[in-house]
């Protein structure tokens, strides 16, 4: 008997791009297990795969996407820039490396992995480089990860493009209501990592 795979609902980002609401994150996924995990997730209906340069499995994510047989346009790929690569030229070089490892022509969502409060200038330079990648069509949307309200306000004052997404720890034990209120005001989608609280132990 033939089975049908349900499609994930989508969220519309502030630039009109549609992003699947549910995805597979490969943080702590061993490289030798990642390609199969990605292929299996896609076969089961996932259409968003989230990786990062720091996870050291971008190459295997790309391999898993290709193995799936699903057209590239139907899979939403997120990767992230690590803080040691912040700065204008460093960001562009790091993006090229990520793209080459993934084996893709573009990334759907590119995020700054963390803010650097002690050197926010480098954070801003990195984000401006992301704006350039967006303008060139090498990424479809840009955003941030682990940014607090103050970081978002600073970034908004110093750059042109409001982040499409802020990916943060969010689950029943850590609701982040104030941050989500800022997101709602600025038109930023809140994306949860560890949505059931699985990384940190809570009492």
């Amino acid at each position: 008997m033939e089975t049908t795979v349900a499609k994930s609902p989508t969220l519309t980002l502030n630039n009109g791009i549609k992003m699947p609401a549910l995805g597979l994150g490969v943080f702590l996924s061993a490289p030798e297990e990642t390609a199969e995990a990605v292929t299996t997730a896609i076969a089961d209906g996932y259409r968003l795969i989230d990786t990062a340069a720091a996870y050291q499995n971008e190459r295997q994510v790309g391999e898993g996407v290709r193995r799936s047989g699903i057209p590239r346009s139907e899979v939403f790929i997120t990767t992230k820039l690590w803080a040691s690569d912040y700065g204008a030229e460093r960001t562009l070089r790091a993006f090229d490396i990520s793209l080459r490892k993934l084996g893709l022509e573009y990334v759907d969502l590119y995020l700054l992995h963390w803010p650097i409060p002690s050197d926010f200038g480098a954070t801003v330079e990195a984000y401006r480089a992301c704006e350039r990648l967006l303008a060139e069509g090498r990424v479809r949307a840009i955003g941030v990860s682990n940014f607090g309200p103050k970081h978002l306000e600073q970034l908004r004052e110093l750059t042109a493009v409001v982040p499409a997404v802020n990916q943060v720890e969010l689950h029943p034990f850590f609701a982040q209501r104030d941050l989500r209120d800022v997101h709602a005001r600025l038109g930023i989608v809140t994306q949860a990592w560890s949505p059931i609280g699985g990384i940190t132990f809570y009492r």
Side-chain angles (χ1 to χ4, degrees):
M1 185 169 84
E2 192 173 317
T3 59
T4 57
V5 176
K7 286 190 175 181
S8 170
T10 60
L11 302 169
T12 301
L13 304 183
N14 58 18
N15 64 350
I17 297 298
K18 292 190 181 298
M19 179 181 76
L22 301 173
L24 174 72
V26 294
F27 176 58
L28 298 182
S29 177
E32 63 271 16
E33 299 172 355
T34 300
E36 184 177 353
V38 169
T39 302
T40 300
I42 292 173
D44 286 343
Y46 284 84
R47 290 295 180 269
L48 186 158
I49 308 296
D50 179 283
T51 185
Y55 300 171
Q56 299 184 12
N57 53 22
E58 289 174 308
R59 194 180 310 279
Q60 290 75 21
V61 165
E63 182 183 339
V65 171
R66 287 186 291 277
R67 279 189 200 172
S68 74
I70 297 294
R72 167 68 183 95
S73 61
E74 294 184 19
V75 184
F76 192 100
I77 304 296
T78 300
T79 193
K80 308 177 197 74
L81 175 72
W82 189 242
S84 61
D85 288 317
Y86 285 8
E89 294 305 318
R90 281 184 172 185
T91 295
L92 297 175
R93 282 196 300 271
F95 175 80
D96 284 340
I97 291 169
S98 286
L99 202 64
R100 192 160 56 245
K101 287 181 177 178
L102 288 162
L104 302 176
E105 294 181 358
Y106 66 92
V107 166
D108 295 281
L109 178 63
Y110 197 46
L111 306 179
L112 301 189
H113 210 143
W114 288 91
I116 307 179
S118 62
D119 187 8
F120 205 73
T123 306
V124 170
E125 284 185 15
Y127 193 78
R128 286 176 177 161
C130 292
E131 290 179 324
R132 174 176 165 182
L133 293 170
L134 180 66
E136 292 174 349
R138 304 186 72 199
V139 299
R140 298 175 68 224
I142 59 175
V144 296
S145 181
N146 303 303
F147 275 50
K150 181 180 177 182
H151 308 131
L152 293 173
E153 294 290 2
Q154 286 181 293
L155 196 67
R156 180 183 166 210
E157 290 173 4
L158 298 168
T159 60
V161 177
V162 175
V165 168
N166 187 16
Q167 186 184 107
V168 295
E169 182 180 5
L170 184 70
H171 47 72
F173 302 103
F174 192 47
Q176 301 237 56
R177 289 185 180 88
D178 291 344
L179 179 59
R180 287 187 287 128
D181 286 345
V182 172
H183 291 170
R185 178 166 55 82
L186 297 179
I188 299 170
V189 166
T190 305
Q191 188 179 47
W193 59 258
S194 189
I196 57 174
I199 291 180
T200 308
F201 181 75
Y202 291 85
R203 292 178 185 263

